[in-house]
């Protein structure tokens, strides 16, 4: 079956396969498997060819988008002024932002807030989740609190964070912590409760101390689920921080875009969009690389 | 993903204890604050809830937000599902459309908010555009995955037995992919609901997001808390609805197992 060897492909080759799916040509429902069964050398050659092809298709799409952009900005003066300025104008503004270092300052602050609050959440919440997952009565006690607060959309916390902690860094850290907190907590608990009871019993029978039980048995077994929670949490935190920056901040990519919008400066908005797209993409790639190999060991959400 | 539910009275004391500690802690923190307006005690917030509800503001804003989310979500579902199916089944569509999807996908939906405010103004059209984008991506990708994961053997069996491509599409591929598509719909609605609030926080004259942004500016923390609670409640209700739908769409598996 062609699908079985597809999962072993290195990631960089998968990523060129658009839509992030496992190689689609191989498992497309409309095709027979005979097409993808071939000699190894042949297959490698085909893969290289496929990469070049995928890149050239991306380049082609970029070109088409560029032409549409150019066409819109040159035919409509209003669009060019308020929404889609000519490409050279945006490019000049971009170069100016890079040269003055302003762009990197904003990117730094956004990343600092996301990663700082995220690490804070991981450090505080994972041990708590391990305890809640292990001790059912403790979990029952906290369950209503968690389940009442968890469904609240991350965005809805922003006004409260600003009210309680002002528009400075504290409110962003609180927001990111809160947003990551529930996702990581729930996934950690699910991971711990899914740990094979026999592992725990065996460790206890062999005389494992309580602390070692957590560090050597429960935590490693629950790790895939914890990582899943971390990945989801990081994505939500990224969105929440950018919105918080749009509402109240003095730095960050969200702040840059919102100020540009308020002052009718669309080229900075577009630069911000591209930067956010690249940041989201890179964040995804980095996490994917870090979590590689753990993904198929099963996860809970 | 366990919800609160009554599995027996043995758990009742723990739940009651948890809620009691939450309320007690809240009251104590609010009593210990110098500035009481930053966190009004639970009694004040519950009184505000009744007040805002009776004035009709709460219902009006809730209806506005929910309507926007539902409309944007429906438009996204109608536009994303056919494209998702076509992306897997038609090599031509995949060849042409896939690179564009790949290029635009990494841009998060929030990044579209400022540009759509510039393009459409602060009216409902701009917000609808944002909600559409927010719901589109999860629905599209789950549809692609759903159609992609229909076992080729099913298609092959149907074709061998003489089914036309059209028949296979409507009687094998679409029914076989519904469970994952419903998952995509759930994720899409969650995303739409988040972005409705973000858009309303930034620029709107109605909706729950506007309500809490407005209350924040006049330091009415009690109204903000009421809004946050209602936002959580609505999001939770819809998530539960979609989970029920997922279960319903998978019912054939249960019947097969039982039969």
């Amino acid at each position: 079956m062609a699908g079985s060897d597809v999962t072993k492909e290195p990631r960089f080759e998968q990523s060129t396969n658009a839509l992030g799916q496992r190689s689609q040509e191989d498992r497309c429902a409309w095709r027979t498997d005979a097409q993808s069964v071939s000699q190894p050398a042949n297959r490698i050659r085909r893969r290289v060819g496929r990469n070049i092809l995928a890149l050239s298709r991306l380049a082609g799409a970029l070109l088409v988008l560029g032409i549409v952009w150019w066409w819109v900005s040159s035919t409509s003066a209003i669009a060019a002024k308020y929404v889609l300025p000519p490409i050279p104008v945006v490019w000049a503004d971009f170069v100016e932002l890079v040269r003055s270092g302003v762009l990197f300052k904003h990117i730094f602050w956004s990343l600092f807030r996301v990663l700082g609050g995220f690490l804070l959440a991981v450090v505080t919440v994972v041990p708590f989740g391990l305890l809640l997952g292990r001790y059912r009565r403790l979990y029952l006690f906290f369950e209503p609190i968690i389940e009442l607060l968890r469904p609240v959309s991350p965005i809805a916390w922003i006004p409260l964070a600003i009210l309680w902690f002002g528009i400075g860094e504290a409110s962003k850290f609180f927001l990111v912590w809160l947003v990551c907190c529930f996702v990581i907590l729930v996934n950690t608990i699910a991971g711990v409760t899914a740990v094979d009871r026999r592992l725990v019993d065996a460790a206890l029978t062999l005389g494992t101390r309580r602390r070692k039980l957590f560090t050597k048995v429960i935590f490693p077994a629950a790790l895939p689920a914890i990582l899943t929670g971390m990945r989801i949490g990081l994505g939500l935190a990224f969105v929440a921080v950018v919105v918080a920056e749009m509402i109240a901040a003095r730095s960050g990519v969200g702040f840059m875009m919102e100020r540009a919008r308020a002052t009718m400066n669309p080229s900075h908005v577009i630069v911000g969009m591209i930067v956010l797209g690249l940041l989201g993409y890179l964040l995804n790639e980095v996490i994917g690389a870090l979590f590689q190999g753990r993904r198929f060991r099963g996860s809970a959400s | 993903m366990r919800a609160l539910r009554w599995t027996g009275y043995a758990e009742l004391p723990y739940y009651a204890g948890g809620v009691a500690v939450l309320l007690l802690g809240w009251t104590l923190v609010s009593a210990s604050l110098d500035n009481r307006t930053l966190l009004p005690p639970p009694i004040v917030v519950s009184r505000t809830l009744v007040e805002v509800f009776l004035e009709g503001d709460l219902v009006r804003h809730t209806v506005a937000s929910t309507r926007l989310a539902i409309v944007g979500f429906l438009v996204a579902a109608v536009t994303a599902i056919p494209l998702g199916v076509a992306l897997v089944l038609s090599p031509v569509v995949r060849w042409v459309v896939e690179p564009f999807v790949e290029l635009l996908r990494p841009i998060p939906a929030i990044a579209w908010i400022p540009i759509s405010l510039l393009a459409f103004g602060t009216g409902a059209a701009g917000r609808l555009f944002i909600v559409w984008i927010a719901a589109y991506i999860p629905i599209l990708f789950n549809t692609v995955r759903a159609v992609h994961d229909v076992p080729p053997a099913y298609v092959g069996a149907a074709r061998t037995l003489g089914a036309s491509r059209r028949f296979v599409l409507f009687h094998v591929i679409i029914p076989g992919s519904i469970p994952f598509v419903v998952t995509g719909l759930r994720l899409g609605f969650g995303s739409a609901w988040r972005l409705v609030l973000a858009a309303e926080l930034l620029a709107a004259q109605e909706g729950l997001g506007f309500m809490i942004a407005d209350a924040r500016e006049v330091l009415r923390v009690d109204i903000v808390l009421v809004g946050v609670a209602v936002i959580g409640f609505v999001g939770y209700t819809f998530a539960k609805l979609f989970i029920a739908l997922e279960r319903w769409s998978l019912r054939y598996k249960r019947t097969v197992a039982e039969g």
Side-chain angles (χ1 to χ4, degrees):
Chain A
M1 179 80 201
S4 60
D5 65 22
V6 171
T7 51
K8 289 185 208 129
E9 281 183 359
R11 183 156 166 86
F12 62 92
E13 283 177 352
Q14 277 183 24
S15 62
T16 56
N17 189 330
L19 291 177
Q21 295 288 325
R22 285 164 294 161
S23 173
Q24 288 190 356
E25 277 87 7
D26 287 348
R27 283 210 54 209
C28 176
W30 286 104
R31 298 188 173 203
T32 60
D33 283 329
Q35 281 175 319
S36 54
V37 177
S38 53
Q39 297 298 313
N42 227 345
R43 210 188 303 158
I44 290 168
R45 202 178 309 143
R46 266 223 334 262
R47 270 189 212 157
V48 173
R50 214 185 273 163
N51 282 348
I52 295 170
L53 215 60
L55 280 180
S56 54
R57 279 164 67 205
L58 278 182
L62 211 56
L63 193 69
V64 172
L65 285 180
I67 290 171
V68 171
W69 181 347
W70 169 80
W71 180 74
V72 170
S73 63
S74 61
T75 48
S76 160
I78 298 174
K81 188 155 189 284
Y82 295 115
V83 186
L84 215 53
I87 296 174
V89 174
V90 176
W91 177 253
D93 281 351
F94 170 71
V95 170
E96 178 54 34
L97 276 174
V98 170
R99 194 173 289 159
S100 62
V102 173
L103 187 61
F104 296 117
K105 194 192 80 183
H106 290 314
I107 293 175
F108 167 78
W109 279 109
S110 293
L111 284 181
F112 174 69
R113 286 160 186 159
V114 171
L115 295 178
F118 172 72
L119 288 180
L120 206 64
V122 171
V123 170
T124 53
V125 167
V126 169
F128 187 53
L130 291 177
L131 286 177
L132 288 194
R134 175 87 179 111
Y135 301 111
R136 187 169 156 70
R137 287 170 187 211
L138 200 63
Y139 172 65
L140 287 176
F141 183 76
F142 281 102
E143 188 181 356
I145 303 177
I146 299 169
E147 292 296 329
L148 285 175
L149 296 180
R150 193 166 66 94
V152 175
S153 161
I155 310 283
W157 292 110
I158 293 174
L160 281 177
I162 295 169
L163 274 171
W164 288 338
F165 296 96
I167 66 166
E169 297 315 306
S171 64
K172 274 73 176 183
F173 273 71
F174 170 73
L175 182 69
V176 174
W177 178 81
L178 198 65
V179 167
C180 294
C181 168
F182 292 113
V183 189
I184 297 177
L185 189 62
V186 169
N187 276 277
T188 306
I189 293 170
V192 175
T193 46
V195 170
D196 194 339
R197 249 213 96 73
R198 282 170 302 178
L199 291 179
V200 177
D201 287 344
L204 287 175
T205 311
L206 294 170
T208 313
R209 293 299 175 99
R210 190 174 285 175
R211 187 192 290 176
K212 271 209 161 166
L213 182 72
F214 277 108
T215 55
K216 299 279 179 190
V217 181
I218 294 179
F219 177 70
L223 194 57
I226 297 173
L227 290 176
T228 303
M230 283 164 61
R231 202 176 58 220
I232 301 170
L234 199 56
L236 290 175
F238 185 58
V239 170
V241 160
V242 173
V243 178
E245 286 169 352
M246 286 179 180
I247 292 170
R250 292 197 198 89
S251 58
V253 180
F255 165 75
M256 181 185 88
M257 294 173 76
E258 176 57 21
R259 192 183 52 180
R261 181 197 72 82
T263 55
M264 297 277 174
N265 182 2
S267 59
H268 282 200
V269 173
I270 291 171
V271 170
M273 283 176 77
I274 296 171
V275 165
L276 284 183
L278 284 175
L279 281 183
Y281 177 77
L282 287 178
L283 223 54
N284 247 338
E285 288 295 300
V286 168
I287 293 171
L290 285 180
F291 295 6
Q292 183 80 24
R294 302 205 179 279
R295 196 176 319 155
F296 300 108
R297 277 212 255 141
S299 57
S301 59
Chain B
M1 286 293 277
R2 232 185 71 119
L4 282 177
R5 77 192 135 188
W6 302 112
T7 48
Y9 288 103
E11 289 155 0
L12 196 60
Y14 297 103
Y15 287 160
V19 173
V21 166
L22 179 69
L23 292 178
L24 198 68
W26 179 356
T27 315
L28 283 179
V29 170
S30 104
S32 69
L33 286 176
D34 296 334
N35 186 352
R36 194 72 57 87
T37 53
L38 277 183
L39 185 64
I43 306 161
V44 174
V45 176
S46 54
R47 204 182 295 142
T48 310
L49 172 66
V50 175
E51 252 169 46
V52 188
F53 179 76
L54 289 181
E55 281 168 11
D57 279 1
L58 188 63
V59 177
R60 186 165 56 87
H61 290 311
T62 309
V63 167
S65 292
T66 319
R67 195 178 51 209
L68 185 62
I70 290 175
V71 172
F73 164 79
L74 287 179
V75 175
V78 169
T79 48
I81 293 176
L83 181 64
V85 174
L87 269 173
V88 180
L89 298 187
S90 156
V92 178
V93 172
R94 191 164 61 235
W95 180 261
V96 177
V97 178
E98 205 177 43
F100 290 99
V101 177
E102 278 293 289
L103 278 179
L104 294 178
R105 174 174 70 131
I107 300 177
I110 34 156
W112 291 92
I113 294 180
I115 197 93
S116 97
L117 290 179
L118 282 175
F120 300 105
T122 55
R127 271 173 282 151
L128 191 63
F129 175 71
I130 293 161
V131 177
W132 173 70
I133 287 184
Y136 195 88
I137 298 285
I139 298 176
L140 179 70
F141 279 87
N142 277 276
T143 307
V144 167
R145 183 171 156 216
V147 178
H148 191 251
D149 282 0
V150 172
Y154 292 4
V155 177
R159 296 280 285 162
T160 311
L161 293 167
S164 67
R165 289 195 154 205
R166 201 188 155 78
F167 185 89
V168 169
L169 175 65
F170 284 105
H171 290 87
V172 178
I173 291 177
I174 289 182
S177 56
I178 280 177
F180 261 148
V181 173
V182 176
T183 306
L185 292 178
R186 174 165 62 84
L187 298 176
F189 191 85
S191 173
W193 184 240
R194 278 199 294 280
L195 266 288
V196 163
L197 296 171
E200 285 173 351
L201 276 177
L202 282 163
Q205 296 306 314
E206 56 173 7
L208 289 168
F210 164 74
M211 188 178 98
I212 60 175
D214 197 43
R216 172 180 83 84
E217 269 164 31
V218 293
L219 282 178
R220 286 292 301 272
V221 182
D222 49 344
I223 297 182
V224 177
L225 285 170
V226 166
V228 167
V230 174
I231 289 165
F233 177 73
V234 173
Y236 180 79
T237 310
F238 274 99
K240 282 284 143 194
L241 277 177
F242 280 109
I243 286 172
L245 200 63
E246 272 172 72
R247 206 164 289 152
W248 178 80
S249 71
L250 279 167
R251 73 200 182 288
Y252 66 93
K253 288 206 171 161
R254 208 161 48 229
T255 14
V256 169
E258 282 162 7

